[in-house]
Every structure is written in structure tokens, then in C-alpha cells.
Amino acid sequence: MRNLNEDNITQAVLARHAAMPDVRLREIMSSLVQHLHSFAREVKLTEAEWFAGIQFLTDTGHMCSDKRQEFILLSDTLGLSMLVTALNNRKPEGCTESTVFGPFHVEGSPQYALGDDIANGAKGDPCFVRGVVRDIDGKSVPNASMEVWQADADGLYDVQYADQDSHRGRGTFHSGPQGEYYFRTIGAEAYPIPHDGTVGRMLEALGRHPWRPAHLHFLIKAENYQTLITHVFRNGDKYLDSDAVFGVRSSLIGDWVRHKAGTAPDGTCLDVPFFTLDFDFVLNPV
């Protein structure tokens, strides 16, 4: 087809996709083309603006590495990550809600036993976390794989330190025979998502802040149960209602209880104040 114009080019592109053998891919690409073309028409996109968008995406790609995923940050801050999470994680009432994965998960994090200190020297106040993993019927879930990761008191994950060659503030362990879990780490603090790249420039241009409320990440897997990717947010944090990535759910807010120096839950004697956090997880059977 020749001599296409602004009125018929969309249909011409869709016609080119008509013979695509992958039905799902055809559905996705056809819808994408229609929405992109409608967007350009609606805002009357200029060539300069189109090129600026191309440059923005190019720069975003250049920011990505094995330790940083700028496209996930972009998706997070536009609310797309949370929308996809919500669409794909509908659960019965009472199950622990899912939230965004985030860009700082690491495959193969260190293995720990229950009660171990996963902070491994990360900066922050001591914190003792405990709870139970059960299902919607109240049945305990033993031997559930539980991955945990968090930022330190400076608001940085271990992978953000160029000179750090060991994992800190992250680890994997398994729930006990009654679904119980407990470990030591550091207190969660609010922190800004990385904003020295394209996503940061976008947020600044939009008049938005880059801050996330304090939280712990959890990834919980157990046989015959839906995998749970979630956070536990710190109650009272000033960013709970303006999370940069739209991930907060009221059911995921927990109380970090501050204690004076003294005997900790694991029996050790601490000469500094410490926190405790109690939080149970409810998994959805597959």
C-alpha cells in the first residue's frame, strides 16, 4: 500500500499483522499499535517530541546493567508495574497481597538458617523479624522458601555499592515445621529510588519525589501455593501515601516496635536500642 496518510496508516499497519501465527502476540501488538497511534493523534505529537521520547528510551537502556534495571524503575514510577501485579495476582480475601518486585532482587542470595543475621554488616539498627507462614485455611506452611532483601540505613541496597563484594541485607531461608520464621536484620528506613538517571529526570520534570516508604521485600515460594512477591511497610512512615512506585497496601503495613538496649528476642544482650517486627503471611493455594 502506498500514499498512506494520517487517516489510514493505522489500518495499514494492522493489516500487516493479520497473518501473524501467534494469536496472543497479534492481539498485543495490534492493541499496542492502535493505542500508540491514538496517543500521537490525541496530543498532536511533534517530530521534536517524538525524537525526545526516542532519546529518553535510548538513554534508559544505556542506564541498565546487571545491577540496575532502569526500565523496571520507569515501569514502577508510571504505575505500570503495580497494575500488572494487580491484574495477575487476584486472590481470595485474607491472602497476603502482592506488590511490585522492584529492581534490586538478586538471584542466588546467601542461604541462612532460621535465626541468623542476614544484615551481614549492613548499616542500621538491629531488628528482629518473626512470624508464621500459613494458608487461607489457617494451615501452617512448612519449608517455604523465603527470600528477603532491603536497603540499609543510608537508603542503599548492597548491589548499589561498587566496592562491596559480599551480599548484605539479603538472604534466603526456609520456614520451620509449623510455618514459623524468624531472623535478624536491620531496621527498615525510607529511601529514594535511584534518581540520577532518566527516571530521576522524568520525576523532577513532573514535580514528583523519588522516595519510597521504609519496607522489607519478601519472595515466598512453597509447593502447591502461588508464589508471593510482596513488601512489609513500616507503619508511620511519611511516604506511605506517596510511594514513588504506588506499591503500598494497607494490609502490608507492619509495626516496627522500638525497644531499649537489653535482652533481644534471640537471647543476646544488646547495648543499643533495637526493633522487633511481627508479621504473618497467608499464601494462596494453587
Side-chain angles (χ1 to χ4, degrees), residues 234-256:
R234 184 171 175 175
N235 197 9
D237 192 288
K238 67 178 182 179
Y239 295 110
L240 285 173
D241 293 315
S242 62
D243 180 14
V245 306
F246 307 97
V248 177
R249 297 292 178 268
S250 295
S251 67
L252 300 179
I253 297 174
D255 292 315
W256 267 252

PDB file of all heavy atoms in Angstrom, residues 234-256:
ATOM      1  N   ARG A 234       6.734  -0.063  56.838  1.00  0.00           N
ATOM      2  CA  ARG A 234       6.864   0.390  58.218  1.00  0.00           C
ATOM      3  C   ARG A 234       5.763   1.392  58.565  1.00  0.00           C
ATOM      4  O   ARG A 234       5.634   2.446  57.937  1.00  0.00           O
ATOM      5  CB  ARG A 234       8.242   1.013  58.426  1.00  0.00           C
ATOM      6  CG  ARG A 234       8.527   1.423  59.860  1.00  0.00           C
ATOM      7  CD  ARG A 234       9.978   1.814  60.014  1.00  0.00           C
ATOM      8  NE  ARG A 234      10.265   2.337  61.347  1.00  0.00           N
ATOM      9  CZ  ARG A 234      11.481   2.674  61.775  1.00  0.00           C
ATOM     10  NH1 ARG A 234      12.520   2.516  60.966  1.00  0.00           N
ATOM     11  NH2 ARG A 234      11.661   3.152  62.990  1.00  0.00           N
ATOM     12  N   ASN A 235       4.977   1.055  59.544  1.00  0.00           N
ATOM     13  CA  ASN A 235       3.880   1.919  59.974  1.00  0.00           C
ATOM     14  C   ASN A 235       4.418   3.277  60.432  1.00  0.00           C
ATOM     15  O   ASN A 235       5.438   3.364  61.108  1.00  0.00           O
ATOM     16  CB  ASN A 235       3.119   1.253  61.116  1.00  0.00           C
ATOM     17  CG  ASN A 235       1.753   1.870  61.337  1.00  0.00           C
ATOM     18  OD1 ASN A 235       1.292   2.681  60.550  1.00  0.00           O
ATOM     19  ND2 ASN A 235       1.104   1.486  62.423  1.00  0.00           N
ATOM     20  N   GLY A 236       3.705   4.332  60.050  1.00  0.00           N
ATOM     21  CA  GLY A 236       4.085   5.679  60.448  1.00  0.00           C
ATOM     22  C   GLY A 236       5.003   6.386  59.481  1.00  0.00           C
ATOM     23  O   GLY A 236       5.276   7.591  59.654  1.00  0.00           O
ATOM     24  N   ASP A 237       5.480   5.705  58.468  1.00  0.00           N
ATOM     25  CA  ASP A 237       6.382   6.344  57.509  1.00  0.00           C
ATOM     26  C   ASP A 237       5.648   7.459  56.755  1.00  0.00           C
ATOM     27  O   ASP A 237       4.504   7.287  56.330  1.00  0.00           O
ATOM     28  CB  ASP A 237       6.918   5.302  56.525  1.00  0.00           C
ATOM     29  CG  ASP A 237       8.080   5.823  55.697  1.00  0.00           C
ATOM     30  OD1 ASP A 237       7.851   6.669  54.806  1.00  0.00           O
ATOM     31  OD2 ASP A 237       9.219   5.397  55.940  1.00  0.00           O
ATOM     32  N   LYS A 238       6.323   8.580  56.566  1.00  0.00           N
ATOM     33  CA  LYS A 238       5.656   9.732  55.955  1.00  0.00           C
ATOM     34  C   LYS A 238       5.403   9.568  54.461  1.00  0.00           C
ATOM     35  O   LYS A 238       4.668  10.369  53.864  1.00  0.00           O
ATOM     36  CB  LYS A 238       6.454  11.004  56.209  1.00  0.00           C
ATOM     37  CG  LYS A 238       7.806  11.074  55.526  1.00  0.00           C
ATOM     38  CD  LYS A 238       8.479  12.407  55.825  1.00  0.00           C
ATOM     39  CE  LYS A 238       9.817  12.559  55.138  1.00  0.00           C
ATOM     40  NZ  LYS A 238      10.436  13.876  55.419  1.00  0.00           N
ATOM     41  N   TYR A 239       5.989   8.527  53.849  1.00  0.00           N
ATOM     42  CA  TYR A 239       5.797   8.337  52.409  1.00  0.00           C
ATOM     43  C   TYR A 239       4.789   7.240  52.082  1.00  0.00           C
ATOM     44  O   TYR A 239       4.651   6.856  50.913  1.00  0.00           O
ATOM     45  CB  TYR A 239       7.139   8.021  51.741  1.00  0.00           C
ATOM     46  CG  TYR A 239       8.132   9.161  51.821  1.00  0.00           C
ATOM     47  CD1 TYR A 239       9.261   9.057  52.633  1.00  0.00           C
ATOM     48  CD2 TYR A 239       7.940  10.335  51.111  1.00  0.00           C
ATOM     49  CE1 TYR A 239      10.172  10.100  52.722  1.00  0.00           C
ATOM     50  CE2 TYR A 239       8.840  11.382  51.196  1.00  0.00           C
ATOM     51  CZ  TYR A 239       9.962  11.260  52.007  1.00  0.00           C
ATOM     52  OH  TYR A 239      10.864  12.298  52.094  1.00  0.00           O
ATOM     53  N   LEU A 240       4.083   6.730  53.074  1.00  0.00           N
ATOM     54  CA  LEU A 240       3.132   5.657  52.815  1.00  0.00           C
ATOM     55  C   LEU A 240       2.061   6.065  51.807  1.00  0.00           C
ATOM     56  O   LEU A 240       1.573   5.232  51.039  1.00  0.00           O
ATOM     57  CB  LEU A 240       2.459   5.213  54.126  1.00  0.00           C
ATOM     58  CG  LEU A 240       3.311   4.372  55.080  1.00  0.00           C
ATOM     59  CD1 LEU A 240       2.578   4.168  56.401  1.00  0.00           C
ATOM     60  CD2 LEU A 240       3.684   3.039  54.457  1.00  0.00           C
ATOM     61  N   ASP A 241       1.671   7.333  51.815  1.00  0.00           N
ATOM     62  CA  ASP A 241       0.615   7.784  50.907  1.00  0.00           C
ATOM     63  C   ASP A 241       1.141   8.443  49.642  1.00  0.00           C
ATOM     64  O   ASP A 241       0.357   8.982  48.857  1.00  0.00           O
ATOM     65  CB  ASP A 241      -0.318   8.752  51.647  1.00  0.00           C
ATOM     66  CG  ASP A 241      -1.097   8.063  52.752  1.00  0.00           C
ATOM     67  OD1 ASP A 241      -1.617   6.957  52.503  1.00  0.00           O
ATOM     68  OD2 ASP A 241      -1.180   8.614  53.867  1.00  0.00           O
ATOM     69  N   SER A 242       2.465   8.403  49.446  1.00  0.00           N
ATOM     70  CA  SER A 242       3.020   8.993  48.221  1.00  0.00           C
ATOM     71  C   SER A 242       4.190   8.169  47.701  1.00  0.00           C
ATOM     72  O   SER A 242       5.142   8.708  47.148  1.00  0.00           O
ATOM     73  CB  SER A 242       3.465  10.437  48.472  1.00  0.00           C
ATOM     74  OG  SER A 242       4.500  10.496  49.453  1.00  0.00           O
ATOM     75  N   ASP A 243       4.114   6.855  47.899  1.00  0.00           N
ATOM     76  CA  ASP A 243       5.155   5.946  47.416  1.00  0.00           C
ATOM     77  C   ASP A 243       5.430   6.204  45.932  1.00  0.00           C
ATOM     78  O   ASP A 243       4.514   6.217  45.111  1.00  0.00           O
ATOM     79  CB  ASP A 243       4.682   4.504  47.624  1.00  0.00           C
ATOM     80  CG  ASP A 243       5.688   3.470  47.160  1.00  0.00           C
ATOM     81  OD1 ASP A 243       6.861   3.822  46.910  1.00  0.00           O
ATOM     82  OD2 ASP A 243       5.296   2.284  47.053  1.00  0.00           O
ATOM     83  N   ALA A 244       6.692   6.388  45.590  1.00  0.00           N
ATOM     84  CA  ALA A 244       7.064   6.722  44.206  1.00  0.00           C
ATOM     85  C   ALA A 244       6.660   5.654  43.209  1.00  0.00           C
ATOM     86  O   ALA A 244       6.527   5.934  42.016  1.00  0.00           O
ATOM     87  CB  ALA A 244       8.571   6.970  44.116  1.00  0.00           C
ATOM     88  N   VAL A 245       6.455   4.418  43.686  1.00  0.00           N
ATOM     89  CA  VAL A 245       6.125   3.335  42.758  1.00  0.00           C
ATOM     90  C   VAL A 245       4.725   2.758  43.010  1.00  0.00           C
ATOM     91  O   VAL A 245       4.379   1.711  42.472  1.00  0.00           O
ATOM     92  CB  VAL A 245       7.187   2.215  42.788  1.00  0.00           C
ATOM     93  CG1 VAL A 245       8.565   2.796  42.554  1.00  0.00           C
ATOM     94  CG2 VAL A 245       7.166   1.433  44.086  1.00  0.00           C
ATOM     95  N   PHE A 246       3.918   3.430  43.842  1.00  0.00           N
ATOM     96  CA  PHE A 246       2.499   3.099  44.024  1.00  0.00           C
ATOM     97  C   PHE A 246       2.279   1.700  44.614  1.00  0.00           C
ATOM     98  O   PHE A 246       1.270   1.059  44.319  1.00  0.00           O
ATOM     99  CB  PHE A 246       1.743   3.226  42.692  1.00  0.00           C
ATOM    100  CG  PHE A 246       1.928   4.546  42.007  1.00  0.00           C
ATOM    101  CD1 PHE A 246       2.874   4.700  40.994  1.00  0.00           C
ATOM    102  CD2 PHE A 246       1.186   5.654  42.385  1.00  0.00           C
ATOM    103  CE1 PHE A 246       3.067   5.931  40.363  1.00  0.00           C
ATOM    104  CE2 PHE A 246       1.373   6.884  41.762  1.00  0.00           C
ATOM    105  CZ  PHE A 246       2.308   7.022  40.755  1.00  0.00           C
ATOM    106  N   GLY A 247       3.199   1.217  45.451  1.00  0.00           N
ATOM    107  CA  GLY A 247       3.136  -0.164  45.894  1.00  0.00           C
ATOM    108  C   GLY A 247       2.487  -0.421  47.232  1.00  0.00           C
ATOM    109  O   GLY A 247       2.315  -1.577  47.623  1.00  0.00           O
ATOM    110  N   VAL A 248       2.105   0.610  47.985  1.00  0.00           N
ATOM    111  CA  VAL A 248       1.626   0.409  49.362  1.00  0.00           C
ATOM    112  C   VAL A 248       0.208  -0.158  49.378  1.00  0.00           C
ATOM    113  O   VAL A 248      -0.669   0.285  48.637  1.00  0.00           O
ATOM    114  CB  VAL A 248       1.672   1.739  50.149  1.00  0.00           C
ATOM    115  CG1 VAL A 248       1.097   1.537  51.551  1.00  0.00           C
ATOM    116  CG2 VAL A 248       3.100   2.257  50.231  1.00  0.00           C
ATOM    117  N   ARG A 249       0.005  -1.149  50.242  1.00  0.00           N
ATOM    118  CA  ARG A 249      -1.311  -1.698  50.551  1.00  0.00           C
ATOM    119  C   ARG A 249      -1.472  -1.669  52.069  1.00  0.00           C
ATOM    120  O   ARG A 249      -0.545  -2.040  52.791  1.00  0.00           O
ATOM    121  CB  ARG A 249      -1.449  -3.129  50.026  1.00  0.00           C
ATOM    122  CG  ARG A 249      -1.347  -3.238  48.510  1.00  0.00           C
ATOM    123  CD  ARG A 249      -2.560  -2.576  47.853  1.00  0.00           C
ATOM    124  NE  ARG A 249      -2.496  -2.614  46.397  1.00  0.00           N
ATOM    125  CZ  ARG A 249      -1.979  -1.659  45.633  1.00  0.00           C
ATOM    126  NH1 ARG A 249      -1.441  -0.588  46.220  1.00  0.00           N
ATOM    127  NH2 ARG A 249      -1.982  -1.744  44.322  1.00  0.00           N
ATOM    128  N   SER A 250      -2.633  -1.266  52.554  1.00  0.00           N
ATOM    129  CA  SER A 250      -2.839  -1.141  53.997  1.00  0.00           C
ATOM    130  C   SER A 250      -2.560  -2.452  54.724  1.00  0.00           C
ATOM    131  O   SER A 250      -2.043  -2.464  55.854  1.00  0.00           O
ATOM    132  CB  SER A 250      -4.265  -0.684  54.292  1.00  0.00           C
ATOM    133  OG  SER A 250      -4.488   0.620  53.787  1.00  0.00           O
ATOM    134  N   SER A 251      -2.907  -3.581  54.080  1.00  0.00           N
ATOM    135  CA  SER A 251      -2.718  -4.883  54.720  1.00  0.00           C
ATOM    136  C   SER A 251      -1.250  -5.263  54.858  1.00  0.00           C
ATOM    137  O   SER A 251      -0.922  -6.215  55.573  1.00  0.00           O
ATOM    138  CB  SER A 251      -3.450  -5.969  53.921  1.00  0.00           C
ATOM    139  OG  SER A 251      -2.851  -6.140  52.647  1.00  0.00           O
ATOM    140  N   LEU A 252      -0.368  -4.533  54.188  1.00  0.00           N
ATOM    141  CA  LEU A 252       1.057  -4.851  54.213  1.00  0.00           C
ATOM    142  C   LEU A 252       1.846  -3.949  55.166  1.00  0.00           C
ATOM    143  O   LEU A 252       3.069  -3.972  55.155  1.00  0.00           O
ATOM    144  CB  LEU A 252       1.644  -4.739  52.802  1.00  0.00           C
ATOM    145  CG  LEU A 252       1.020  -5.654  51.745  1.00  0.00           C
ATOM    146  CD1 LEU A 252       1.681  -5.406  50.381  1.00  0.00           C
ATOM    147  CD2 LEU A 252       1.146  -7.121  52.136  1.00  0.00           C
ATOM    148  N   ILE A 253       1.156  -3.173  55.967  1.00  0.00           N
ATOM    149  CA  ILE A 253       1.831  -2.271  56.901  1.00  0.00           C
ATOM    150  C   ILE A 253       2.005  -2.968  58.245  1.00  0.00           C
ATOM    151  O   ILE A 253       1.056  -3.523  58.801  1.00  0.00           O
ATOM    152  CB  ILE A 253       1.034  -0.965  57.071  1.00  0.00           C
ATOM    153  CG1 ILE A 253       0.954  -0.221  55.729  1.00  0.00           C
ATOM    154  CG2 ILE A 253       1.667  -0.080  58.129  1.00  0.00           C
ATOM    155  CD1 ILE A 253       0.069   1.009  55.752  1.00  0.00           C
ATOM    156  N   GLY A 254       3.252  -2.977  58.735  1.00  0.00           N
ATOM    157  CA  GLY A 254       3.559  -3.620  59.998  1.00  0.00           C
ATOM    158  C   GLY A 254       4.177  -2.642  60.983  1.00  0.00           C
ATOM    159  O   GLY A 254       4.641  -1.561  60.609  1.00  0.00           O
ATOM    160  N   ASP A 255       4.196  -3.025  62.239  1.00  0.00           N
ATOM    161  CA  ASP A 255       4.720  -2.166  63.305  1.00  0.00           C
ATOM    162  C   ASP A 255       6.150  -2.560  63.667  1.00  0.00           C
ATOM    163  O   ASP A 255       6.395  -3.673  64.139  1.00  0.00           O
ATOM    164  CB  ASP A 255       3.845  -2.268  64.553  1.00  0.00           C
ATOM    165  CG  ASP A 255       2.463  -1.671  64.336  1.00  0.00           C
ATOM    166  OD1 ASP A 255       2.380  -0.572  63.768  1.00  0.00           O
ATOM    167  OD2 ASP A 255       1.476  -2.315  64.742  1.00  0.00           O
ATOM    168  N   TRP A 256       7.069  -1.634  63.431  1.00  0.00           N
ATOM    169  CA  TRP A 256       8.443  -1.789  63.909  1.00  0.00           C
ATOM    170  C   TRP A 256       8.461  -1.241  65.347  1.00  0.00           C
ATOM    171  O   TRP A 256       8.410  -0.028  65.559  1.00  0.00           O
ATOM    172  CB  TRP A 256       9.405  -0.979  63.042  1.00  0.00           C
ATOM    173  CG  TRP A 256      10.026  -1.720  61.893  1.00  0.00           C
ATOM    174  CD1 TRP A 256      11.317  -2.128  61.786  1.00  0.00           C
ATOM    175  CD2 TRP A 256       9.386  -2.127  60.658  1.00  0.00           C
ATOM    176  NE1 TRP A 256      11.528  -2.761  60.584  1.00  0.00           N
ATOM    177  CE2 TRP A 256      10.366  -2.774  59.870  1.00  0.00           C
ATOM    178  CE3 TRP A 256       8.094  -2.016  60.156  1.00  0.00           C
ATOM    179  CZ2 TRP A 256      10.087  -3.299  58.612  1.00  0.00           C
ATOM    180  CZ3 TRP A 256       7.819  -2.543  58.911  1.00  0.00           C
ATOM    181  CH2 TRP A 256       8.806  -3.177  58.156  1.00  0.00           C
TER     182      TRP A 256
END
